[in-house]
């Protein structure tokens, strides 16, 4: 026997035919709809657009903005205070280092002063030793005349260089002050260069005033042994030739240019005889 549907059942069937989304299984109908399912149903009906706008942030109050700015300023001030503290610590450390460096520099300056004094002392000792060695060499290798020793140096020097070399050796350029010394020097120089004829510097010049001859120590010359000859009488150089040399063959004196280089003769004090 066919069973006839009532009016309610007929209406439900028509709704299911018209909208499948309305007809759901009984089990699903009993369950609570989820957010995704509701969203899908709304989209299916066209109630919700595909792209939803982002939700607008909730407006903040002026009090919260002020508090945020205040906290930011406090954090920045705290950072600045920490940086200033580090800077002060670094400045103090640097000041300590500078003080220590200045102390060390003062100590080094004192040490350098002591070292310079020691160097000057050693240099003076060296000069004194060279002078003593030169004097001993002059008296051992040279020729003794009274309380003096004479030594010829076969080294070419101008007048100023010869004077300096004699002083460095503890002596001075030869200065014959009388006939006895002159004749002794002439014999020594002649035997030293025999058979040659080589002039040697003496410690005599008229550099201070033309015609006024002085020894190298500044005292005035009172004895002369100028060469006398009708062809070459000395001195004949005038203001051009102001330094005196001795000829080795006869011991006569000649005036020469002071920048001429030649051998020289030094004299030393004979301390043994003294």
């Amino acid at each position: 026997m066919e069973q006839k549907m009532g009016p309610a059942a007929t209406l439900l069937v028509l709704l299911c035919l018209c909208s499948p989304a309305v007809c759901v299984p009984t089990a699903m109908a009993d369950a609570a709809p989820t957010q995704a399912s509701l969203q899908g149903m709304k989209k299916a009906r066209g109630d919700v657009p595909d792209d939803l706008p982002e939700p607008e942030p909730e407006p903040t109050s002026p009090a919260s903005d002020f508090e945020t700015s205040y906290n930011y300023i406090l954090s920045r001030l705290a950072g600045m205070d920490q940086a200033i503290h580090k800077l002060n610590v670094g400045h103090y450390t640097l000041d300590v280092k500078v003080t220590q460096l200045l102390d060390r520099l003062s100590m080094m300056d004192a040490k350098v002063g002591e070292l310079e004094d020691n160097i000057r002392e050693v240099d003076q000792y060296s000069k004194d030793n060279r002078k003593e060695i030169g004097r001993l060499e002059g008296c051992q290798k040279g020729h003794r005349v009274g309380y003096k020793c004479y030594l010829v140096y076969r080294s070419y020097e101008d007048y100023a260089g010869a004077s300096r070399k004699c002083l460095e050796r503890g002596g001075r350029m030869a200065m014959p002050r009388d006939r006895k010394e002159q004749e002794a020097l002439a014999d020594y120089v002649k035997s030293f260069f025999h058979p040659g004829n080589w002039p040697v510097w003496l410690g005599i010049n008229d550099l201070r005033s033309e015609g006024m001859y002085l020894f190298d120590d500044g005292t005035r010359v009172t004895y002369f042994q100028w060469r006398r000859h009708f062809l070459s009488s000395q001195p004949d150089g005038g203001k051009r030739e102001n330094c005196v040399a001795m000829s080795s063959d006869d011991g006569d004196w000649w005036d020469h240019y002071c920048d001429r280089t030649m051998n020289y003769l030094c004299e030393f004090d004979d301390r043994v005889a003294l």
Side-chain angles (χ1 to χ4, degrees), residues 64-81:
S64 62
D65 289 342
F66 174 78
E67 184 177 359
T68 302
S69 300
Y70 179 74
N71 291 332
Y72 173 76
I73 292 172
L74 287 180
S75 64
R76 295 295 293 176
L77 288 175
M80 292 176 62
D81 183 70

Side-chain angles (χ1 to χ4, degrees), residues 38 170 223 268:
L38 291 177
Y223 172 81
F268 306 89

